[in-house]
Amino acid sequence: MGKTLRRYLARELALAFLAGLALSTFVLAIMRIMELVDLAFARGVPASRVGALFGYMLPSYLEITLPMAFLLSIVVAFGRLTRDGEIIAMYTSGLNLRQIVRPIFAFAVLVAAFAFVLAVFARPWASRRIDETISEMARTRFTAALRPGVFSSWLDGVVIYVGAVDPDSGQLTWVMLADEREAAGRRTIFAAEGRLQTDDQREVAFLQMRDGTILRTLGAADSYDRTDFGAFDLTLEFDPMIDEHTEPGAMPPRQLAWRDLVDARDRRRAAGTSAVEEEIEIQRKLVVPAGALLLPLVAVPLGVQRSRAVRSRALVVSVCTILVYYLMLTVAVTAARESTMTPAVAMWLPNGAMLAFGAFVFARAMRDRPLWPRGRAGVRAK
């Protein structure tokens, strides 16, 4: 294949890839965008802080949307080439499907390399920055979590309702708080007014309330204890988000750099404790980029279908393929955590299934066989 044709295929693929990447990332992040807009306009968080928080979220979205956009871009680009008869022209000039797909594999290497950089370097760094930014927002603008007339459950085990909030002074009026953090029973606190004070070093806030009542439930459902107070201070912790599978005080595996992640796994193995979470994260950083290398095997046969109806069906099949792949990854993580199989075997099974499916459809396309019943044969490969 000549250099001009390789550049032409790369340009067609790149345009479809960039458009698909932007669209899929926007669709995936739309709900989060709405929450961030609410933080900026309704809760008084600075727009610069909100924009930085969204930027830190992008690597986790791109890790998902990169393979998705790559698969769809191949199907769309080759569908356009087939519709305009350019694939037939390539076959007529002596090229076969195997030769045509080689530049696509070169593009796949670039996508896989970018996905690997995201998984190993960008996502752990961004995950740490997200937690730091949220914690900083909580320290500097703790009142951003409180909206007048709305029950706020931003803190685990605590629900707060306030009638009004002064964003400058932190003064609260008509405070109602339900505290379920104590095993002895739930406390419900009513106060005429209150004020929030934060301790940056301890990462806690103090809700100072005045002129109120504490109702504490006792063992019996209809029994409670009532205490009136003139002043009462309640401590509210706002630690950064912790993964449910992470030990208290430890950094989640998703936030560890590659070297630290491997060291953490080795230390756990040497101590005789479970290193499943670390091993899952290590394998995930390798599995998803490797999966991008297999996508041309699936996408090219789907894209070279001549019939418009078959091409539409191929687009649906490509979307289902990527969704099934991520579903299999989720099942693999669950299987590894439950010790149904080792993390390495579980995490690489989706790629094995992708390889088998890709080899099957590519072989049928090479032999000019229909990819599904009643489908019309694709363009004959020379």
Side-chain angles (χ1 to χ4, degrees), residues 234-284:
L234 184 69
T235 301
L236 303 172
E237 298 182 359
F238 47 87
D239 293 334
M241 296 178 292
I242 301 296
D243 192 278
E244 62 177 330
H245 300 285
T246 304
E247 295 180 359
M251 185 177 292
R254 60 183 170 82
Q255 295 184 354
L256 294 175
W258 177 262
R259 186 68 261 173
D260 296 332
L261 184 60
V262 174
D263 290 344
R265 181 198 61 182
D266 295 342
R267 285 195 304 269
R268 285 184 173 274
R269 287 179 174 177
T273 58
S274 174
V276 170
E277 292 303 319
E278 288 77 9
E279 187 64 31
I280 288 175
E281 187 64 24
I282 289 173
Q283 297 300 329
R284 181 181 177 86

Side-chain angles (χ1 to χ4, degrees), residues 8 15 43 53 89 103 220 299 301 314-315 365:
Y8 178 69
L15 293 175
R43 304 192 183 188
L53 189 60
L315 193 60

Side-chain angles (χ1 to χ4, degrees), residues 70-71 74 101 104-106 108 291-301 358 362:
F70 184 45
L71 177 66
I74 298 174
V101 82
I104 311 305
F105 276 110
L293 298 175
L294 304 176
L295 293 179
L297 289 176
V298 177
V300 172
F362 193 84

